[in-house]
C-alpha cells in the first residue's frame, strides 16, 4: 500500500490525530481548486451542500469544537447561515482563507492541551473525544465533497 500522505504509524496518538485531521482538511480544500465560483456553488440536489457551503461549514465546525468546546472561548456561529445560500461576497478564496485561519486557530488550541484533558467549554468531554468526533465529521464531509466534485467535472482522486 502507498502510505504517502498518511501520518507516521509510529507517531504519538495526538500527532496522528492532527495528521489525519490535516489529511481531511486538505482534501476539502483541494476539492474547490480549479473550479469557477459558480461550480463551487453548485448543489447536486436541493438538500445537498455546495463545495463552498462545505468549506464555510467546516470552518464553523472547527471554531465550535476547538475554540469553544476545547478552549472555552466565546464563539459566535450561525450554523444555518453556513448551509444556506451564501452571499456573493463569499468566494472560493475567502472561504479557503477563512478555513485555513480556523485550522490554524484549532491547532493553536490543541498545542496547549493533552488528550485526556477535560474540555473547558464542555467539561463532560475530553480532548480525545472531540478529536475523534472531528475526524468523523471531516471524513464524512470530505466524502460528500468527493462525490460533488466528481459530479461537477468528473475529477476523482485518492483524497
Amino acid at each position: 500500500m502507498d502510505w504517502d500522505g498518511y501520518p507516521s504509524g509510529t507517531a504519538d496518538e495526538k500527532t496522528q490525530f492532527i495528521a489525519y485531521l490535516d489529511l481531511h482538511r486538505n482534501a476539502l480544500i483541494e476539492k474547490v481548486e480549479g473550479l469557477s465560483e459558480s461550480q463551487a456553488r453548485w448543489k447536486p440536489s436541493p438538500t445537498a451542500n455546495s463545495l463552498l457551503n462545505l468549506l464555510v461549514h467546516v470552518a464553523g465546525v472547527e471554531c465550535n469544537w476547538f475554540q469553544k468546546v476545547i478552549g472555552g472561548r466565546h464563539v459566535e456561529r450561525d450554523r444555518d447561515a453556513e448551509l444556506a445560500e451564501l452571499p456573493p461576497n463569499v468566494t472560493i478564496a475567502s472561504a479557503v482563507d477563512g478555513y485555513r485561519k480556523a485550522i490554524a486557530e484549532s491547532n493553536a488550541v490543541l498545542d496547549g492541551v493533552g488528550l485526556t484533558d477535560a474540555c473547558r467549554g464542555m467539561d463532560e468531554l475530553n480532548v480525545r473525544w472531540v478529536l475523534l468526533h472531528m475526524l468523523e465529521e471531516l471524513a464524512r464531509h470530505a466524502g460528500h465533497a468527493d462525490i460533488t466534485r466528481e459530479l461537477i467535472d468528473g475529477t476523482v482522486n485518492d483524497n
Side-chain angles (χ1 to χ4, degrees):
M1 177 170 186
D2 179 12
W3 293 99
D4 288 344
Y6 284 89
S8 166
T10 58
D12 66 271
E13 187 179 11
K14 185 177 173 185
T15 299
Q16 289 184 9
F17 273 128
I18 294 168
Y20 271 105
L21 284 171
D22 286 342
L23 190 73
H24 296 304
R25 290 163 166 167
N26 291 329
L28 282 157
I29 291 169
E30 289 170 3
K31 293 302 170 189
V32 297
E33 291 176 348
L35 293 179
S36 68
E37 295 294 331
S38 63
Q39 287 173 315
R41 289 176 179 275
W42 179 80
K43 296 180 180 187
S45 73
T47 59
N49 293 304
S50 69
L51 293 174
L52 199 57
N53 281 107
L54 283 175
L55 282 181
V56 171
H57 173 62
V58 293
V61 168
E62 293 257 355
C63 292
N64 181 69
W65 284 102
F66 291 108
Q67 294 174 42
K68 183 178 179 180
V69 174
I70 292 177
R73 300 177 188 167
H74 177 75
V75 172
E76 291 290 328
R77 181 178 178 217
D78 185 350
R79 187 178 186 281
D80 291 335
E82 295 167 11
L83 302 174
E85 195 68 34
L86 296 170
N89 66 326
V90 177
T91 63
I92 294 170
S94 70
V96 168
D97 184 57
Y99 188 33
R100 286 192 170 130
K101 286 178 181 173
I103 291 167
E105 193 59 38
S106 296
N107 288 341
V109 168
L110 290 172
D111 281 344
V113 297
L115 293 178
T116 59
D117 291 354
C119 295
R120 293 183 186 116
M122 274 181 126
D123 61 3
E124 68 271 21
L125 300 176
N126 68 19
V127 172
R128 180 182 283 109
W129 188 96
V130 173
L131 288 170
L132 283 167
H133 171 68
M134 285 300 296
L135 281 171
E136 174 269 332
E137 176 98 8
L138 292 179
R140 182 168 22 97
H141 288 316
H144 296 152
D146 285 340
I147 294 165
T148 301
R149 179 63 188 253
E150 183 176 3
L151 290 169
I152 290 170
D153 67 359
T155 298
V156 294
N157 59 26
D158 294 334
N159 296 335

